[in-house]
Amino acid sequence: MRVLIVDDHPIVASGCRALFFGEPDIVVLEAGDADSGEQRYIAERPDVCVVDINLPGVSGYELARRLLARDPGARIIMFSMNDDPAFAARAIEAGAKGYVSKSGDPCDLDRAIREVAKGGVFLAPAMARSIAFGGSDSLLDKLSAREIEILRLLAAGKSLSEIAWLVRASYKTIANTASLMRQKLGVRSSADLVRLAIENRLGASARSVASGS
């Protein structure tokens, strides 16, 4: 089984290799951002793709959208430091087959990969309960995965035209989506959206790629 890990932190990739060391049935492939992850997926056609949400540039949500557009049968697990159920719910809605928190049990990733490779779905029990019973009061519960992506890129200082280019959509589509987001969140301006994004810890990795760090 070939598993593609898309994460910009070398220590995470190293940890994944260590997790599967001595398991000859698993081959770990690596990529550090959405663009290289997409190209690696096209070239290698892995059995399972493990994607960090907070990638530099566009996020794991956008990468999942791209992969599923190319291959509706892609088996994607979202991997994140954030254990807010809103992030997990948006991941499943975006087409991911699993969500694993980096702060959880390391064995969860192994279990998730094997379950998703068989065609199943994986959520840790506590996360599944939180989603089922509305355990999150996050502002992000009001937004789709695409809207979270736009909010994140706004917080990184991107203009609407830059966001349209990054997510491969028209300017009109992004402008209309931003307007709907302001209505949903009860704010008047793009500056208010940026403030909410920063308050919800969005935008850091996208900003780092813009500055070259």
Side-chain angles (χ1 to χ4, degrees), residues 21-80:
F21 181 76
E23 299 192 33
D25 63 321
I26 294 182
V27 176
V28 176
L29 310 169
E30 299 171 26
D33 58 34
D35 289 340
S36 60
E38 183 180 9
Q39 293 306 311
R40 196 78 195 264
Y41 187 91
I42 293 167
E44 303 281 356
R45 292 290 175 173
D47 301 286
V48 177
C49 190
V50 178
V51 179
D52 183 21
I53 287 180
N54 203 29
L55 293 171
V58 296
S59 75
Y61 289 130
E62 171 63 15
L63 176 56
R65 187 194 67 78
R66 294 180 186 180
L67 296 183
L68 289 163
R70 286 183 173 275
D71 176 12
R75 293 171 175 174
I76 299 168
I77 297 167
M78 301 302 266
F79 196 35
S80 177

Side-chain angles (χ1 to χ4, degrees), residues 79-158:
F79 196 35
S80 177
M81 282 298 297
N82 199 313
D83 56 6
D84 185 333
F87 281 88
R90 299 297 83 74
I92 299 302
E93 288 172 9
K97 300 300 183 184
Y99 187 95
V100 176
S101 171
K102 293 180 182 179
S103 61
D105 185 341
C107 293
D108 282 349
L109 183 59
D110 190 3
R111 288 192 285 265
I113 288 171
R114 294 184 185 282
E115 182 63 30
V116 170
K118 293 188 295 184
V121 174
F122 179 89
L123 286 169
M127 182 67 74
R129 286 194 297 271
S130 293
I131 293 172
F133 294 104
S136 172
D137 58 359
S138 172
L139 179 76
L140 302 181
D141 273 332
K142 300 178 180 179
L143 303 178
S144 68
R146 170 50 68 92
E147 289 168 337
I148 291 172
E149 178 72 1
I150 292 170
L151 190 62
R152 176 178 177 271
L153 291 169
L154 282 171
K158 302 296 185 183

Side-chain angles (χ1 to χ4, degrees), residues 152-198:
R152 176 178 177 271
L153 291 169
L154 282 171
K158 302 296 185 183
S159 68
L160 293 181
S161 59
E162 288 174 317
I163 293 171
W165 181 80
L166 285 166
V167 304
R168 304 174 184 176
S170 71
Y171 173 86
K172 183 178 180 181
T173 295
I174 299 304
N176 287 342
T177 303
S179 177
L180 288 171
M181 289 165 61
R182 290 195 295 272
Q183 293 177 37
K184 281 185 179 182
L185 299 176
V187 300
R188 293 185 176 183
S189 69
S190 292
D192 291 330
L193 288 178
V194 170
R195 176 181 55 78
L196 288 174
I198 292 170

